[in-house]
Amino acid sequence: MADLTDLNEDLACYLQGAAAGVSVGDMQAVTRQYNAYYDARQSCYQLSLGRLQRLDLTLYLPRHSSAKTIKSARTATLKAVLAWHKTSCVADSNDNQHKHDRNDNGQSDDQSNNQNHDKKSRRDVLVFDIVFFDETEMSADIPTLSPKQRLANRLTHHFDTAYFMEDLVIDMSGEPRPLQIFSRADWQELSSTLQTPCELWRFVCHHLQQLQQSLSDQRAHFEKVADLVTQFLYSPSVFTHAITIDNALIKAGVQDAPNAALIAMTLAHKNQSATAQMYQQHMAQAATLWSQLSGQMIAMCRDERLKNSAQMSSEVDFLYWQQQLLDESLFSRHELVRTLYRHLKQPDSLKSAGYVVHQHSYESLGRHYVLIFYGQNQEGQHSKQAIQPNLAKIAQDVATRLPIAALHHVIILGVEFINEGQETFIDIDLWIQPVATMTQRERQLTKQIQQLQQQKVPKPKLSQQKMPMAGTSADNDRPAEALPQVRLNLTIPARKSNK
């Protein structure tokens, strides 16, 4: 099993600094008792939904270790890590309390709310690996195994619910930051299956809830982590957040009716019909393709900026822009990629003229996409020559007209399909327009304007429909980030239409 998946590549964009080696105090006794070695590294990922703190620990055991020894060493390692984690949590709590006590007048309500939010939006996980070694492979501290050797010498093991109910009984009910334990094999499996950072976060929360419920009821709510992942993905609750966004878009007047694909997928998962598996396959394909598109767009932008020192941006900026694209959920990516695929089946007349599709994020109410499919007619209104220089104005115009108070980013994709022999490639121009948060007064004015507009002749909604491009744009002094044209050498495979 490879150590690198598409999700791990995506998570790298959220990493807060390099992984840091840590010393787990009680592990010294474990290594002496079992003639073992260990390596522990901690990584912090600041996802859009919360902070994921991951401790990767590898225990190196002699190859001749018996099954009884392996089981005993594994349990001793977990006890050592749990003790270290509890001590770390207490230290973090004391540090935070000390910082707050230094405020002369105490903390404001907002500060208190932020503290409570931080506790709820943080998850700590342990990814535990066991690798065998021969004495001839030892260095001074850690066995010198290559990645290939490590894979061949890795012990495949799992942590089911019964293990925490019988072998290592732990009380997770009163822990403010419980440590969730996964084997390396289980973590790699769930990473390759879930595919997006937001689905990973929601599953980790779901795993914690199910484990706590199992310990409380003294009844296993799941056996294997792999089974829980499947249960999570095939539950209609995986679309709950998208439905919330969909309802908000209707309430805001951005679309007229619920998303038909969202309804169909939710019902298929609720009824456990055969089409649910097809939908899961389509979403998985879309998730992978969207990650590739996002990575290539930002990488090409980074390369382009390196050629022009006057437009140099920091690596943090590029990661921030890429996060805006990678924050999308499975369903949101499905809708974006499906919009791209639909172009291949559009009438030739429409392809020639060019057209615009408004597509909203189903992960964040504040993120809106405008996909401009360039017309083949170079003299037309939607030609690449006419649109490409005006991406910033288009983004600002859309940001001004969208009646969504929570709007924070408008993302413009200028799309051109290029046929070369039997292959099809995409050229994409990307513009990401940050939008300042609206004040309460601005929200009230926006609502009044919406009410006045509803009293007039109804205008076309900014939903998933083809619309003519606005000819003018309002002045907007919000900061924008221009990203140059990107050549994506990515073949579009044949795929059945998903309605």
Side-chain angles (χ1 to χ4, degrees), residues 234 273-283 497-499:
Y234 281 86
S273 64
T275 54
Q277 184 175 2
M278 178 191 69
Y279 288 139
Q280 282 293 329
Q281 292 174 348
H282 287 178
M283 286 193 293
S497 177
N498 177 22
K499 297 181 179 181

Side-chain angles (χ1 to χ4, degrees), residues 119-130:
K119 293 179 181 179
K120 294 180 181 179
S121 60
R122 172 169 173 169
R123 294 292 180 268
D124 293 5
V125 301
L126 166 67
V127 180
F128 186 20
D129 195 13
I130 298 178

